[in-house]
Amino acid sequence: MVVEVSAFPILKTDRLILRQVTKDDASSLLKYLSNKDVMKYVGLEPFKSIDDALDEISWYQSIFEKRTGIRWGITLKDQGEVIGSCGFLNLVSRHYRSEIGVELSYEHSGKGIASEAFEAVIRYGFEQMSLQRIEALIEPPNIPSQKLAEKQGFIREGLLRNYEFTCGKFDDLYMYSLLKQDFK
């Protein structure tokens, strides 16, 4: 059975601390989630207000409380500001699987931060949550996310046509997966 987490875990990497996002982080979230380039493939409109950020933080809290996911705020070790998030959603405990997602502020992209956070979250999923399968659903034009997933060993399994309806349009999504035994 997938391990249930009662206290919110903190993950540390060489450069990052992944921690729980709180209401105090709302302005940081608004800062990067209001950028249309960051939000291009997230499936949400760019945030316009602090209330949008607070709603996102409430969602993070609710998936953790309901045990359907967990979302970490990405911070640089020497700074407290949340510059992105990474985590699991649509956790299906009885099948030992979950989806993974990540987004990062535009000014911090291209520095390996998303990759570092992604790997830490994957490792936590396999080692601490006893997941067997981690899935990533990625829009075909989102080449950076495809490269990020493939770098970690994810395999593209196929195309889910018109899989989601977001921002007034139907989106095709590639289904990627990584199995526990294939994780380096």
Side-chain angles (χ1 to χ4, degrees):
M1 180 156 188
V2 173
V3 176
E4 302 265 331
V5 179
S6 53
F8 198 96
I10 295 172
L11 308 182
K12 295 179 181 179
T13 68
D14 289 343
R15 298 182 291 166
L16 309 173
I17 295 176
L18 282 67
R19 62 166 176 81
Q20 187 168 25
V21 178
T22 69
K23 290 179 181 176
D24 293 339
D25 298 308
S27 61
S28 297
L29 263 69
L30 178 59
K31 184 176 167 185
Y32 70 86
L33 294 175
S34 61
N35 183 310
K36 66 177 176 48
D37 293 323
V38 171
M39 298 301 279
K40 190 171 188 176
Y41 302 114
V42 173
L44 298 170
E45 295 290 342
F47 287 14
K48 292 177 172 58
S49 71
I50 203 77
D51 286 338
D52 291 339
L54 289 168
D55 287 347
E56 186 77 355
I57 294 166
S58 292
W59 178 71
Y60 294 170
Q61 187 64 36
S62 74
I63 65 171
F64 181 70
E65 288 170 0
K66 293 175 187 171
R67 306 292 187 239
T68 60
I70 182 171
R71 195 79 175 187
W72 285 270
I74 301 169
T75 67
L76 297 172
K77 271 189 176 172
D78 56 348
Q79 301 168 15
E81 183 180 7
V82 174
I83 58 169
S85 77
C86 187
F88 297 114
L89 64 153
N90 298 326
L91 173 66
V92 185
S93 295
R94 69 184 194 142
H95 295 301
Y96 300 87
R97 76 170 182 252
S98 187
E99 292 174 27
I100 192 169
V102 62
E103 83 274 329
L104 190 64
S105 68
Y106 188 74
E107 58 269 22
H108 289 93
S109 62
K111 300 176 183 174
I113 293 170
S115 184
E116 197 171 319
F118 205 59
E119 182 177 353
V121 169
I122 291 166
R123 185 170 310 285
Y124 185 87
F126 287 139
E127 294 177 359
Q128 304 302 317
M129 295 172 65
S130 301
L131 294 175
Q132 171 60 27
R133 174 185 168 94
I134 297 174
E135 301 171 344
L137 299 173
I138 304 170
E139 289 183 41
N142 188 351
I143 303 300
S145 287
Q146 291 175 50
K147 287 180 178 177
L148 176 66
E150 290 166 1
K151 181 179 176 186
Q152 294 298 330
F154 280 75
I155 303 295
R156 185 190 307 171
E157 297 181 329
L159 180 68
L160 304 170
R161 299 178 318 138
N162 284 202
Y163 191 74
E164 286 184 339
F165 184 79
T166 60
C167 302
K169 64 181 177 25
F170 288 100
D171 294 321
D172 294 341
L173 296 173
Y174 283 132
M175 169 64 81
Y176 279 83
S177 72
L178 180 63
L179 303 182
K180 187 176 197 168
Q181 63 266 29
D182 298 330
F183 183 61
K184 304 174 192 107

